[in-house]
Amino acid sequence: MADCEYRKLRAEKLRYRSLLIGVVGSGAVLAIVIGLAVGLTVRRCNESKDETVRIGILFSTDDESAEGMKEAAMLAADDIRAHREKVPSAADIQVYKGEYDGSPDGALQSFRRLYDQHGVRLFVGPDASAHVARVTEWATLNAPDAVFISPRATSEQLANATNVIRLSMSDHALALALYLKLQNDNVSVIIPVHTEDSYSIALVQKIRDMADGMMDGLTVSTSISYAPGTITNKEEARGPIEDLRNALRSHPDAAVLLVSYSEAKYVLEAANGDSTLLSRMWYTGDSLALREDILSSPEAKESAQTVSLYGLAYVGEGFHSQRRMRKMQKLADRLKRSPPPFAPLAYDAVNLLYDTCQVMRTTDAQMVLAHLTREAEWQNGLSGRLAIDSKRGRSFGHYLHSFVAPTIPDYNKVTVAMTGSWILDGLSQVSHMSDESGQAGGGRRRRDLSNPDMMSMSAVMSSDMSSASVFTKSDVMEIKRMAGDNCHNPKFSITATDPATYMQMEYNFTDDTFPEMFIASTAYGYSLQMSCDKPGGPVVLDVFCPPSTNPGDDMACVQSVTYPTTTDQTGRRRLLLSQGTISAIGSCVGTSIGCGVCFGILAVPSLGINAASCVSPCAFNIGGTCGTAIGQVASEALMIASEASIICTELFIKGHLDPQTYLADAAFGRQLAAEYPHVMEGYHTLASPIVWLMQRSETATSIVKIFALPWAHQMSYLQDMADEGDEFGGVVMETGMALCGAVGRAMQAVRALMAFGDVLLFPVLIGVATTAACLAMRKNESD
């Protein structure tokens, strides 16, 4: 019996020992596997860290816009390095500059130098189609492992080059955009004047083919052309100008299409002072649009202003996005001047090459090219979605419409917030017939985009326009009246951003110097401030209006006033915007800034201006003025929009929150109220007592700021008003929204119970009354 128990106990020990050995052995094997995985991961990360993505940039030195493109590429590299500091495992980047003299052979020599001496295989540029064709043709035979991304090359002949990707749309798309613009302006005859190169000839021929095929009344006349390099001064331009003058005499209703390069300056100079030439509309493509160098002489600028030279340029998508504006303003600081509007294309080209190397975990050019041509990834860049079609060109995007502003002889009567010569007039969209651009970006899509020759011919102008606000002198005097009596030495300051140059401007006026009319673009918002001296101290009234690109949208401007520091006001900033004022301020917005300038000039008869192009941008008129809206605010002071964030409102009133962040938070609140009303209800339930405490205790305000300001900055980031969010603010937001949602649901449940109680109360009362009546009747019967 004892021996049996011993054997049983021994077997039990052996079983547990085997189980223990198995567990330990499995743990050891698992530890080894985890260790190997971690080691391989670390090794892979270190390999990625040690590997360098080498990119060459090929831009000419004789073009002002090329300098902006080159600097945009360098800005992209700097941003990548800044990102690498946060993600050390990311590969490094090295950019090599390949500047050349502006000729196709110069581009080839610069490419060969970077290819042979520095081992570069990934290239951004060249920019011009002729230069790209020369380089890629040589590279196909002699450097087959080189890959190019050209930001602006448009020639469809490059579709046969398998080593280049174009981030702009084809010549056909530009021709279609120009054709639709001519059609929209009721142009019956167009006379082309162009240089004899592949780009110009192809563009004019495509417009001619469209006119012949549509048979809608537009005729493209015989071209007036000249050989490249034959116009280097005004005298050499007189020959083509004389031919143009004769052609215009034969076609009294004709307009002019100028497809040229830097020599356009001399063409405009030769046309100066000729009423036959300058009484017509002049159009141009992306080779001249928004270029200031062709307007560098007084004669050329005067001619361009008289005809209001109208141009189209491809800019991708999201032209008015806040992220794009911030990057372009940073680029303007680096250039010390305004950057070209298509600079984001070069920025995106660098990022596209780098990101592809990261995804593929290689810098092999052929694998990178295979990925770019095989994977139809809708990556979001600074210029919008980077969808590439089957011919390695951009699938869709917008063309920016702009024209040279008419001369304003007296800035005391009309002042326009602009730094350059060009004014934006809107955007037009061209896309493939099978384009699914209405879908939200992100994700992958099968590469079956249609042929670029098949383009959508829908409405040319989009709703995303460059709208403007027009202030008259009487409008701003309404602001002065809001300060009350005894307002001495009033000063007015307006800050706005020129959407054509991305440059911010500040204008300062007094009562006497404020112009009869002031026009400011609303594309990136603007602010107006009035200050004056009162016996009790200075009073400052601020108006801050957010970005608006659709003239039909209401502008939810914020107005605040800073009173003198007294015992009852203590310098508090009082919000002066009510829900009823939002739409009224929206009436300040005009159809477009282009039409606004024309309207502003023509509205002052003493200026004597009659700009030819005002017929084109002014398809509609400017709607309303700002005086009425501003005047209404005085009677609605100290009120706030119900959907605004009440904690942020209190922080704004106390001066702890800037107007831009406050506007972004209010927009987020309106969006939240529309999509998740129970969350907003819970927020108001919880926030109301907090605001009550903040109004009575600075200590409470200081405590709330710790959580509310990061939350506000995170909301601003989600509204695209900041480049980076706040991590702590994101945690506070998620936690706060969950809590507010629970409270909101509880409030809804309480209301439902109360409503149910109201429903039950009536029959209960009837039952009680009936019972009482029955008891009374029985008592009477018993008596």
Side-chain angles (χ1 to χ4, degrees):
M1 186 72 177
D3 186 58
C4 182
E5 290 180 357
Y6 171 77
R7 286 197 300 271
K8 185 177 180 182
L9 180 61
R10 185 179 179 184
E12 193 75 18
K13 289 181 178 180
L14 289 174
R15 188 174 64 176
Y16 281 115
R17 183 183 300 173
S18 300
L19 180 62
L20 179 62
I21 292 173
V23 171
V24 172
S26 300
V29 171
L30 181 61
I32 292 172
V33 171
I34 294 174
L36 289 174
V38 171
L40 290 173
T41 302
V42 172
R43 181 181 176 184
R44 190 67 174 270
C45 290
N46 290 333
E47 288 177 354
S48 298
K49 181 177 180 179
D50 294 337
E51 191 172 19
T52 300
V53 179
R54 294 179 174 83
I55 297 177
I57 55 176
L58 303 172
F59 293 108
S60 65
T61 57
D62 62 348
D63 187 349
E64 189 178 81
S65 63
E67 177 67 22
M69 301 284 279
K70 179 182 67 177
E71 197 60 38
M74 298 305 297
L75 176 61
D78 290 343
D79 287 347
I80 290 172
R81 294 188 186 100
H83 169 74
R84 187 169 179 264
E85 293 180 359
K86 300 178 181 179
V87 185
S89 62
D92 196 4
I93 184 172
Q94 182 66 43
V95 177
Y96 298 86
K97 298 179 182 179
E99 299 173 334
Y100 60 95
D101 59 5
S103 66
D105 289 336
L108 178 58
Q109 292 175 7
S110 183
F111 158 71
R112 294 183 62 177
R113 177 174 59 83
L114 296 184
Y115 183 88
D116 295 333
Q117 298 180 13
H118 300 284
V120 179
R121 298 296 183 266
L122 305 174
F123 293 88
V124 173
D127 212 19
S129 296
H131 301 176
V132 176
R134 180 74 176 95
V135 173
T136 55
E137 182 180 359
W138 188 92
T140 301
L141 299 176
N142 303 282
D145 57 344
V147 174
F148 305 85
I149 295 184
S150 177
R152 295 191 66 209
T154 59
S155 175
E156 293 179 357
Q157 296 177 358
L158 295 173
N160 298 322
T162 59
N163 54 356
V164 61
I165 289 188
R166 293 167 283 123
L167 289 189
S168 291
M169 298 188 73
S170 66
D171 292 340
H172 188 93
L174 175 59
L176 176 59
L178 275 168
Y179 173 81
L180 292 176
K181 175 59 182 173
L182 296 172
Q183 187 184 60
N184 187 64
D185 290 350
N186 297 317
V187 175
S188 58
V189 179
I190 190 75
I191 300 177
V193 179
H194 63 86
T195 183
E196 295 171 351
D197 71 337
S198 58
Y199 163 79
S200 303
I201 294 173
L203 181 62
V204 172
Q205 186 59 46
K206 290 181 185 300
I207 296 177
R208 180 176 283 111
D209 292 342
M210 291 177 188
D212 294 341
M214 295 300 294
M215 295 183 295
D216 56 358
L218 175 62
T219 301
V220 180
S221 179
T222 303
S223 296
I224 298 172
S225 61
Y226 53 91
T230 58
I231 297 181
T232 59
N233 55 58
K234 181 173 69 173
E235 296 303 320
E236 292 176 344
R238 294 197 183 279
I241 282 297
E242 182 61 31
D243 294 338
L244 176 60
R245 184 183 296 108
N246 295 331
L248 288 173
R249 287 169 178 166
S250 302
H251 302 283
D253 298 328
V256 178
L257 175 63
L258 180 61
V259 186
S260 180
Y261 299 97
S262 299
E263 69 273 10
K265 170 185 173 181
Y266 306 116
V267 174
L268 291 168
E269 287 178 348
N272 186 256
D274 193 315
S275 59
T276 302
L277 299 171
L278 303 184
S279 61
R280 314 300 178 90
M281 274 294 299
W282 286 40
Y283 298 87
T284 188
D286 57 358
S287 63
L288 295 180
L290 295 161
R291 287 182 59 169
E292 293 287 342
D293 58 324
I294 64 171
L295 310 175
S296 58
S297 72
E299 289 179 314
K301 186 169 184 177
E302 183 180 0
S303 296
Q305 288 176 324
T306 305
V307 301
S308 290
L309 182 64
Y310 200 104
L312 276 69
Y314 181 79
V315 292
E317 292 184 306
F319 179 76
H320 291 305
S321 73
Q322 292 296 305
R323 176 172 175 257
R324 183 169 182 156
M325 182 198 71
R326 290 190 294 272
K327 290 295 183 185
M328 293 294 275
Q329 287 183 333
K330 183 181 294 186
L331 184 58
D333 292 338
R334 294 169 66 126
L335 290 170
K336 305 303 180 184
R337 57 178 173 81
S338 62
F342 31 78
L345 299 175
Y347 183 95
D348 286 343
V350 172
N351 277 286
L352 188 58
L353 285 174
Y354 180 85
D355 291 344
T356 304
C357 290
Q358 289 291 95
V359 171
M360 298 298 294
R361 292 188 175 276
T362 181
T363 57
D364 181 78
Q366 290 303 310
M367 294 184 66
V368 170
L369 180 62
H371 179 83
L372 290 173
T373 55
R374 183 182 67 251
E375 300 291 333
E377 294 195 22
W378 294 57
Q379 299 186 32
N380 284 319
L382 202 59
S383 63
R385 292 168 293 174
L386 305 178
I388 308 300
D389 62 27
S390 59
K391 293 190 176 182
R392 290 171 293 281
R394 196 73 169 264
S395 296
F396 46 77
H398 289 101
Y399 282 89
L400 178 64
H401 293 229
S402 60
F403 67 96
V404 179
T407 305
I408 302 176
D410 190 351
Y411 280 89
N412 292 325
K413 295 185 177 180
V414 177
T415 299
V416 184
M418 57 184 293
T419 59
S421 304
W422 296 80
I423 289 181
L424 305 190
D425 193 43
L427 297 166
S428 62
Q429 183 176 11
V430 178
S431 60
H432 300 294
M433 293 290 289
S434 62
D435 171 35
E436 299 175 9
S437 60
Q439 297 179 354
R444 298 188 177 186
R445 179 186 178 206
R446 185 167 55 88
R447 182 171 290 279
D448 57 357
L449 299 176
S450 59
N451 190 302
D453 291 335
M454 298 298 294
M455 296 288 179
S456 169
M457 297 190 70
S458 58
V460 60
M461 297 300 291
S462 76
S463 61
D464 195 21
M465 303 179 70
S466 299
S467 54
S469 281
V470 180
F471 292 94
T472 64
K473 192 168 186 176
S474 60
D475 294 332
V476 295
M477 291 304 110
E478 292 292 335
I479 299 179
K480 177 184 175 182
R481 294 189 187 96
M482 293 174 60
D485 299 330
N486 299 320
C487 184
H488 304 290
N489 301 320
K491 298 177 182 179
F492 303 90
S493 177
I494 300 179
T495 302
T497 300
D498 184 352
T501 64
Y502 298 96
M503 305 295 285
Q504 192 174 75
M505 303 144 293
E506 182 176 342
Y507 296 85
N508 297 297
F509 305 103
T510 64
D511 266 352
D512 297 329
T513 61
F514 201 94
E516 294 181 14
M517 186 172 293
F518 186 93
I519 304 172
S521 169
T522 65
Y524 300 118
Y526 62 88
S527 63
L528 186 151
Q529 183 182 89
M530 191 284 300
S531 62
C532 68
D533 297 327
K534 300 194 72 172
V539 173
V540 179
L541 187 140
D542 293 284
V543 179
F544 184 87
C545 293
S548 173
T549 57
N550 187 350
D553 287 345
D554 293 334
M555 294 185 67
C557 300
V558 167
Q559 301 192 32
S560 62
V561 61
T562 304
Y563 292 100
T565 302
T566 62
T567 55
D568 58 330
Q569 289 293 339
T570 63
R572 287 169 56 89
R573 296 169 63 187
R574 291 303 185 103
L575 191 63
L576 298 180
L577 179 65
S578 73
Q579 190 171 5
T581 310
I582 295 176
S583 60
I585 293 181
S587 66
C588 301
V589 185
T591 303
S592 69
I593 189 170
C595 181
V597 171
C598 292
F599 173 80
I601 294 174
L602 298 178
V604 183
S606 60
L607 293 179
I609 302 298
N610 186 14
S613 74
C614 284
V615 176
S616 174
C618 280
F620 304 95
N621 208 340
I622 285 291
T625 60
C626 304
T628 305
I630 295 175
Q632 290 177 358
V633 180
S635 62
E636 300 167 343
L638 310 181
M639 295 179 65
I640 63 173
S642 60
E643 62 267 53
S645 174
I646 57 177
I647 290 179
C648 290
T649 298
E650 185 62 24
L651 290 174
F652 172 74
I653 288 174
K654 288 179 174 289
H656 300 306
L657 202 63
D658 61 276
Q660 183 169 328
T661 303
Y662 175 75
L663 279 174
D665 297 349
F668 183 86
R670 290 192 295 271
Q671 180 180 345
L672 191 66
E675 297 177 359
Y676 305 100
H678 67 286
V679 176
M680 182 55 68
E681 181 179 359
Y683 168 75
H684 277 266
T685 302
L686 295 173
S688 296
I690 295 176
V691 171
W692 185 86
L693 287 174
M694 292 172 64
Q695 291 172 344
R696 289 158 177 80
S697 170
E698 287 299 322
T699 301
T701 300
S702 300
I703 295 174
V704 172
K705 281 169 52 181
I706 298 175
F707 302 95
L709 290 182
W711 187 345
H713 293 148
Q714 178 67 11
M715 286 191 289
S716 182
Y717 167 72
L718 295 177
Q719 291 296 313
D720 193 29
M721 298 294 284
D723 287 326
E724 295 183 355
D726 190 295
E727 294 183 1
F728 178 64
V731 174
V732 175
M733 174 181 287
E734 293 298 327
T735 305
M737 289 182 64
L739 178 61
C740 292
V743 173
R745 293 295 189 194
M747 294 297 295
Q748 292 178 348
V750 169
R751 282 202 307 273
L753 289 174
M754 293 177 65
F756 184 69
D758 291 341
V759 172
L760 293 178
L761 181 60
F762 185 68
V764 168
L765 290 176
I766 293 178
V768 171
T770 303
T771 303
C774 291
L775 291 175
M777 289 175 61
R778 290 179 181 177
K779 185 177 180 180
N780 291 332
E781 290 176 357
S782 62
D783 293 341

